[in-house]
Amino acid sequence: MVTVTGKLIDEATLAGIEQTPIYLNGRIVAVTDEDGDYTLDVAPGDYRLEVRPREFLYVIRDVQVTPDGRIIDKKTGKLVKKTMPLTRATL
C-alpha cells in the first residue's frame, strides 16, 4: 500500500473544496476535509479515478498509482497534480 495525498481547490477563488468524495473503481476511498485535503491508502496499480464535488465539474480519469505514490494519467502519460483546481458547473 502507498499513501496518496492531494487537495481540491476552486480555480476561481483558490479555496479548498470540502466534503468531496474521491472514488477509485467506483468505490469511495476518501472524502476531502474542510480545507479540500484528502489522503488515501491504496495498492499500486491501475484505477478509474472519479472526483465528484457538488457545484463543480466532475473529473473522471483512468490512472496508474505508482509504488512511490504518484498518480499518472494513463491517457496523457502525465502526472496528475497533487493540487487539483476544479471549475464551477454552470446551469
Side-chain angles (χ1 to χ4, degrees):
M1 296 291 239
V2 295
T3 299
V4 176
T5 60
K7 182 177 190 84
L8 303 179
I9 62 169
D10 180 329
E11 75 172 1
T13 67
L14 303 181
I17 302 171
E18 64 182 346
Q19 297 182 356
T20 298
I22 310 295
Y23 297 82
L24 289 179
N25 293 344
R27 217 177 99 224
I28 294 177
V29 293
V31 176
T32 59
D33 66 13
E34 61 275 355
D35 296 319
D37 296 312
Y38 66 89
T39 301
L40 56 103
D41 293 316
V42 63
D46 295 337
Y47 297 93
R48 166 137 310 179
L49 169 70
E50 297 181 50
V51 178
R52 299 183 184 183
R54 281 176 273 146
E55 301 179 21
F56 290 84
L57 299 177
Y58 291 179
V59 173
I60 301 173
R61 295 183 180 160
D62 290 320
V63 299
Q64 178 184 38
V65 176
T66 64
D68 61 356
R70 293 179 301 141
I71 301 177
I72 308 294
D73 185 311
K74 290 180 69 178
K75 183 176 181 180
T76 65
K78 294 183 179 182
L79 185 66
V80 175
K81 294 180 181 179
K82 295 279 185 181
T83 300
M84 191 180 302
L86 300 177
T87 304
R88 284 201 179 268
T90 55
L91 299 175

